[in-house]
Amino acid sequence: MEPAVGIAWRRLTFSEGLRYWKGQLDGVSAHELPTDRSRPHQTSSGVAARAFDVPRNVSSRLAALSGKHDVSWLDLTVAAIQVVLARYKGQDDVVVAVPAPGRTHPVLVRSRAADSTSFLDFLLHVRATAKEAQAHSEIPFDHLVEELGLGAALARVAAGCELAAASPATDVTARLIRHNAGLTGVVEYRRDLFDAGAVERLAGHFARVLEVVADNAAVPLGRIDILTGSERHQVLEAWNDTDRGVARLSFPALFEAQVARTPDAPAVLSETGALSYAELEARANRLAHLLIGHGAAPERIVALALPRSVEIVVAQLAVVKAGAAYLPVDPAYPEERISFMLADAQPVLVLTLGDLVHELGCLDGTPVLVVDHPATAAALAGMPCRAPTDADRRSPLTLAHPAYVIYTSGSTGRPKGVVVSHAGLASFSAAEVDRFAVAPEDRILQFSSPSFDASVLELCMSLPAGAALVVPPPGPLLGDALAEVLAQQEVTHALIPPVALATVPDGVAETGLPRFRGVIVGGEACTAELVARWAPGRRMINAYGPTESTVVSTWSRPLTPGGTPPIGRPIWNTRVYVLDGALRPVPVGIAGELYVGGGGLARGYLHRPGLTAERFVANPFGAPGSRMYRTGDVVRWTAEGELQFVGRADDQVKIRGFRVEPGEIESRLRQHAGVGDAVVMARRDKRGHRRLVAYVVPSPGSPVPSTAALRELLAQTLPAYMVPSAFVTLDALPLSPNG
């Protein structure tokens, strides 16, 4: 058979072969294993191998399978490794390189590893495809790269017996070796790119596939669990061991318990003075009783069209004491957005200030209470200062009732209201007080816009712990103004988005804030440079979480300089899962979509049952009836059990047929000392072709990096198709009011 195949090769013309490969590789997306180190300019010759013995009963069944269906060990190797790579890639379209008999260059074998296909059918397809590819191996591979414009990444994927692992074009190879004692699997890899642990896992997944298909060759590919039992336990259980016993209390109960402990301690500090816990309690109680009279009740909403202020703190407490949910409405929002929110939420009342009510024309038709109006003051004076109970409320308050509603942007352009109950607030408060080391004498900055759920973090970090909430003067908190507030108000803890923290002068960060010991970053990616500036001598935490899961889902350990910070592990009583498109756990080091479960999950989206059902899905790893939230964020587990943020699942674009994650390019750009922040987007040129464009913000005090320097940086670690076509320098990234 082999000589005949060899003759067939020689009969093919160059153009015929080229036509074959054009059809075979049309739209192919090369898959490279995630490396543990950046790809160096010079290829190292250092190669290591991880070998594993295939159990004799498995190897004998594989031999029987091979003989019965006339498939070679190379075919079996290719099929098994493609199953593994399909899971790593998160797609069923997989291409690998295999040796071509009599050739010094490999050929590419492209297969579709669909979940519904049985392994046996897939194996037979691989055999046929490999034979066809080898019959068209006349064209050297480097010619294909040049003629078809294929990325060099395609030259770096390889799986197959006898392929030279030390070749500069090879990252990883896999093979099966038969011998008298049975069967041995071997995975060879470049030591300058991969750690032994990563290859150990890959070898284990290779072995796992062989074990499963030896037992049942008809198994659908989607039913093959490539994880070992210990790996599955690690990612589903061990790294989700977050159960903590926390008293299940509503937020009013948490606050009232602290009032009883420290009635005379300062609760809120502002330019107008201080409010003690007892004073804040009395003001909130009076307003709560007044709100009950205006219709506030469990399952009802009260809108707060108030700026960052003492008044909004009083109002937030009053609304939840009345049993209702508060809806923060930033007065600076466009009128059209405010109108939509109020029409959608249908609040029983809107609270605002006298100098704002005339600017909010969109409040027409909605009952309004002006909290600083003399008539309101007179009404409040007649209200009791004791805390409302269920006897005062229109119906009893339970933990399942909403505490607040926060609107977030929607992919369709229509904002959606996230309804968060009291159920997870006590656990979240206790967890952050513990993680951020908050003490009763501390001072927490009210930095966030009330319309951003980070404001809930500030409330839960301060008031239930006996600390003081610092209300800053009106206006942007950036640069010198932020530094002045932190220093003059002796702030000890604050959550500050990286883009704002980066504006504080270096000298202030190093020596000007002796009391500022707890810095929390969140809302966007934090750079290594920012950690180097702010972490020394402080407890710096990187927090991550969607609004749909009570503010924070994961957070890092205290950060230390060096490397891009992870988003850490799940917080107390929260579970996280990194899953593929079929809701299967992905291996350590492999990117997948992040799902969040636990007691902090929101109830869903206000008046959007369809969207709620789409994003809050049944949790196959939890108790019956439990849910998990699909975040849309792409992450990966590290070997240490920390989550690394990769990008957004819906940000993926295709450039010249290749899938691209802009987040990966942005992360690489931020590694340049002169880059403070970066955003990469796909834009269409005049011809309608999609091109990557990088928008770069220089680091404070640094010269603008040249396009050539940025291209060189990216070329060191990324294939050519991931290097943006254009670089645009901006003074700052355009930001929403939430930062």
Side-chain angles (χ1 to χ4, degrees), residues 351-368:
L351 273 60
T352 191
L353 298 173
D355 59 355
L356 294 175
V357 68
H358 299 298
E359 300 177 14
L360 299 172
C362 53
L363 298 178
D364 293 343
T366 305
V368 177

Side-chain angles (χ1 to χ4, degrees), residues 138-153:
E138 184 75 10
I139 303 177
F141 188 80
D142 56 350
H143 286 240
L144 282 180
V145 172
E146 180 180 352
E147 292 287 338
L148 301 183
L150 300 177

Side-chain angles (χ1 to χ4, degrees), residues 106 216 242 366 431 515 527 538 540 624 737:
N216 178 17
T242 61
T366 305
R515 289 211 64 195
T527 64
R538 296 186 179 92
M540 186 177 188

